[in-house]
Amino acid sequence: MKFSDLDIRRMYDSVRSDLYTDFFSPVLSASTECKRVGGTFTSKTFLKIATGMKDFIEKDGQLQLVLLPNFTKEDLNAINTGLKNEEDVLLENWIKEYEQIESEFVKNHTKALAWLLKMKLLVIKIVRIKDLQGNVVRFQDLESILKETESETKSQLNQQKENIEKIRKLRQKIGIFRGEGKDEFITFRGNLDYEAEGSDYGHIEVSRYWESDDERDECDKDGEEFEKFWNDEEEFEYIPNYKFQSVLLPDALKQNLVQVAPESKSEINLARP
């Protein structure tokens, strides 16, 4: 089935729609590739990514994820004072979190992504962020840091607003779906972590490559945004004074994830309770 055969709307929200039943499941069923940027390396993020992926997994779809580390302020202090390194903290946090998962539903979705990772159908990259002094910075602190920065001129104020908007866009998520054929291209931007933000409202805006020139341009821009993080192995300034770098998931963490993967595809269970 082609994307254009689906009833894909421009906007979805959690009040009028079930985001996963109405959008993610049908789009993933028709996708051969899925790419996501934004969100933290947590089981909750894995749950949101894997929900609706049954058909996508069944036909060996390719998945690429760019995620942010879920560091606490204590983690940051330990890293920046040399007590620990980033890779060790990522692994420690993941092991601790996975051991605390009580819901089989959440564990099953994590295991589904672990199976994709084991079969080399999933590649994960983690975004490192440092200031000009080389100190590691938490992504979730950047917006407040930028807001506290004094802007003396209109140009500086406009730059500040632009930087904050880029951070908010990355925090919300960008998703890309590819089917078979050049025009089989859909992207979305939006808020999927509404529960963590104390709200019961989630929303996404969708762009369909075949629909109009404006939506085609939006798809291209979202694709470029993803590739900026995916392909740049060197540090780059996503916003002024801060260096971003996407690195492959550390081997130790990758192996820990693969250990929980099912033995076969038939053992993957993504059914809702």
Side-chain angles (χ1 to χ4, degrees):
M1 180 179 289
K2 291 184 176 181
F3 290 151
S4 54
D5 295 328
L6 303 173
D7 182 22
I8 303 300
R9 303 197 301 273
R10 190 78 160 106
M11 303 280 186
Y12 292 85
D13 66 65
S14 57
V15 174
R16 289 177 284 269
S17 309
D18 182 318
L19 296 177
Y20 293 93
T21 300
D22 297 340
F23 176 73
F24 286 104
S25 289
V27 170
L28 281 164
S29 294
S31 299
T32 58
E33 294 180 15
C34 175
K35 304 177 181 183
R36 301 273 290 264
V37 57
T40 53
F41 188 87
T42 62
S43 59
K44 183 175 181 179
T45 297
F46 286 173
L47 171 62
K48 292 180 182 295
I49 291 170
T51 299
M53 273 197 168
K54 182 178 182 297
D55 292 339
F56 182 80
I57 291 174
E58 190 61 37
K59 61 184 180 183
D60 294 338
Q62 302 277 334
L63 180 60
Q64 295 177 331
L65 303 178
V66 178
L67 301 174
L68 298 150
N70 190 33
F71 292 149
T72 64
K73 290 184 178 180
E74 290 74 20
D75 292 336
L76 209 63
N77 183 61
I79 292 168
N80 287 330
T81 56
L83 294 176
K84 296 182 179 180
N85 63 49
E86 291 179 74
E87 293 186 3
D88 290 343
V89 174
L90 275 170
L91 179 59
E92 289 172 9
N93 287 353
W94 172 253
I95 292 174
K96 185 187 303 181
E97 183 186 353
Y98 189 78
E99 289 176 346
Q100 293 174 349
I101 297 174
E102 297 180 356
S103 166
E104 282 301 312
F105 182 62
V106 176
K107 276 193 174 181
N108 287 340
H109 283 67
T110 298
K111 290 176 181 178
L113 292 190
W115 186 86
L116 288 174
L117 192 64
K118 181 175 76 170
M119 303 305 294
K120 297 182 171 54
L121 296 170
L122 165 61
V123 180
I124 301 175
K125 290 191 176 183
I126 304 293
V127 179
R128 289 175 172 168
I129 307 172
K130 294 183 179 180
D131 61 21
L132 295 182
Q133 286 71 48
N135 293 312
V136 175
V137 179
R138 295 197 314 162
F139 175 80
Q140 54 265 51
D141 294 333
L142 277 178
E143 185 173 340
S144 59
I145 292 173
L146 291 172
K147 284 181 177 179
E148 292 170 1
T149 304
E150 293 186 6
S151 300
E152 298 179 354
T153 66
K154 184 177 180 180
S155 175
Q156 289 175 336
L157 181 61
N158 289 337
Q159 181 67 60
Q160 182 188 45
K161 289 179 179 178
E162 181 182 331
N163 293 338
I164 291 173
E165 185 59 33
K166 289 173 77 172
I167 292 300
R168 286 177 176 171
K169 185 177 180 181
L170 189 58
R171 182 184 60 173
Q172 285 188 329
K173 315 287 179 304
I174 299 171
I176 297 166
F177 305 95
R178 291 274 192 181
E180 296 181 3
K182 181 183 177 183
D183 289 349
E184 293 294 284
F185 185 7
I186 292 176
T187 67
F188 78 86
R189 300 156 301 284
N191 173 24
L192 297 173
D193 286 338
Y194 47 91
E195 292 173 359
E197 296 177 5
S199 168
D200 60 358
Y201 180 68
H203 59 91
I204 58 172
E205 178 180 352
V206 178
S207 299
R208 303 151 297 183
Y209 193 79
W210 67 90
E211 196 66 35
S212 69
D213 289 343
D214 286 344
E215 291 190 49
R216 179 171 298 200
D217 288 343
E218 290 167 1
C219 285
D220 287 337
K221 287 178 182 177
D222 289 337
E224 290 169 4
E225 186 82 353
F226 175 85
E227 294 302 330
K228 180 187 300 181
F229 283 92
W230 189 258
N231 290 326
D232 278 330
E233 296 182 357
E234 300 299 323
E235 293 182 340
F236 64 97
E237 276 199 358
Y238 182 64
I239 56 174
N241 302 321
Y242 292 92
K243 300 289 187 180
F244 284 58
Q245 183 184 23
S246 297
V247 297
L248 286 170
L249 193 68
D251 286 340
L253 183 49
K254 180 179 177 180
Q255 291 307 313
N256 184 274
L257 257 174
V258 167
Q259 286 176 11
V260 306
E263 290 297 321
S264 67
K265 188 189 295 185
S266 62
E267 296 178 36
I268 295 173
N269 177 16
L270 298 179
R272 289 188 176 187

